[in-house]
Structures are given as C-alpha cells and as structure tokens.
Amino acid sequence: MTPIFCSALQDRPCMTAVFKIVWIEMSGQNVRGFQFSQLDLDRLRERQDLFVEERDWAQFHTPRNLLCALVGEVGELAEIFQWRGEVSIGASELSVRERDNLKDELSDVMLYLIRLAQVCEVDLSAAVLAKIEKNEKKYPTETVKGKWKKYTEYKQNTTEDEANPPQS
C-alpha cells in the first residue's frame, strides 16, 4: 500500500490520511460521506506539550501512568454504549448530551494515546501505517472478505479444509 501524504505537512503522514487509508482499504466506501477534518499529530503533540509544561505535569507522565489514564478514558467511552445493545453507524440514537460526551471521551483517548506514544518514543503515524500493512498480509481480501474470525483461525481452517476436503 502506498501511504497518502499531506503536502501541507511536508511529506509527513497525517491522521486524516491514515484514517482514509484504513477506510478505503477496509470498506471501499465512505459511510454517509463522513470525513475527518485535517489533523496533524505533531501539532497536537506540540499543543499537548505546552499544556503539560505549563502545569508541570511531565513528572507524572510515565508510560505506566499514561497507560492507566488511557485505559480509564476507554472505560468512560465504553460507558456511553453500555447497556444499549448495538448502536447504528452514525450513533443517531445518542442524545445531544451523549454525543458531546462521546466527542470528549474519544478526544481524551486520542490525546492520551498520542502522549503515551511520545513518551515511549514511538512514531505513531509510521506505526499505524506499518500496522495497516501487517493487517493486509494477515487478512488477505480473498480469504477474509465478509468474515470476522481472527487470522489464526483462517490459517488453521485452510490447512484442515485442504487436508479434509468435503465429501460429495
């Protein structure tokens, strides 16, 4: 897969490009015309650095602490959907208040993820693109299209199916 780059970012992948690559590769279409606005991870990281520096919080931002905070935020995100059953694409079932809460919790998750990646010195943009490429190899379209199982089950099933073809 050829990564998409934003010219305004001087050949650095931006999250918009990453999400578009994922969406195009995973579904081949864009649900209800939805698109993310332009987002530069380095600009977010810089703003977050300033926020943390002004409050002298870097001393608390160890990988473990950031991971625990991230997990807590994921829990708060999960609470929005808890006890609802399935929620449709677009989450139209959510009230205005719940939707605002959804935006806040998704943002918290993303901000902690970016900060954790920074503290661990992981280039998140490059890592995401590399992970998409790994997933393309683990989940080849011709094997998994329309299926939900983990990649290890496909390898086992393929071997078993080839060893024991159906009898007619």
Side-chain angles (χ1 to χ4, degrees):
M1 173 193 329
T2 305
I4 298 171
F5 293 96
C6 297
S7 59
L9 300 177
Q10 301 169 349
D11 295 337
R12 289 181 293 162
C14 68
M15 281 311 280
T16 301
V18 171
F19 284 115
K20 284 182 181 175
I21 290 170
V22 172
W23 197 251
I24 291 166
E25 293 297 321
M26 298 297 283
S27 71
Q29 60 184 352
N30 197 338
V31 174
R32 297 185 186 170
F34 177 82
Q35 284 189 309
F36 290 101
S37 56
Q38 291 293 319
L39 179 63
D40 179 347
L41 290 182
D42 275 330
R43 282 189 53 206
L44 286 177
R45 183 194 48 75
E46 289 167 2
R47 281 195 67 180
Q48 206 169 12
D49 280 348
L50 182 60
F51 179 86
V52 169
E53 184 181 310
E54 290 173 344
R55 289 153 182 81
D56 192 26
W57 286 353
Q59 61 185 318
F60 309 115
H61 286 191
T62 63
R64 180 189 170 279
N65 286 346
L66 291 167
L67 177 61
C68 289
L70 174 62
V71 168
E73 295 300 337
V74 169
E76 290 180 26
L77 178 60
E79 285 177 356
I80 298 167
F81 296 95
Q82 189 174 14
W83 314 120
R84 288 186 176 272
E86 284 301 322
V87 174
S88 64
I89 293 175
S92 59
E93 300 88 342
L94 299 181
S95 68
V96 171
R97 183 184 59 78
E98 290 168 325
R99 191 146 184 89
D100 287 344
N101 193 25
L102 175 63
K103 291 174 189 176
D104 287 345
E105 298 310 330
L106 285 169
S107 298
D108 286 341
V109 167
M110 186 164 187
L111 289 168
Y112 274 117
L113 181 63
I114 291 168
R115 184 71 177 166
L116 178 60
Q118 177 189 4
V119 168
C120 293
E121 297 181 352
V122 171
D123 179 347
L124 194 55
S125 297
V128 167
L129 291 172
K131 182 61 177 174
I132 291 169
E133 290 179 10
K134 283 181 185 178
N135 285 343
E136 288 174 337
K137 290 175 184 161
K138 278 197 229 179
Y139 296 96
T141 304
E142 60 276 1
T143 304
V144 303
K145 189 169 186 171
K147 300 175 185 172
W148 56 268
K149 293 181 181 179
K150 187 173 178 177
Y151 72 95
T152 53
E153 293 186 49
Y154 293 112
K155 289 180 182 177
Q156 289 173 347
N157 288 342
T158 301
T159 304
E160 289 173 17
D161 290 346
E162 289 171 358
N164 301 309
Q167 306 215 351
S168 40

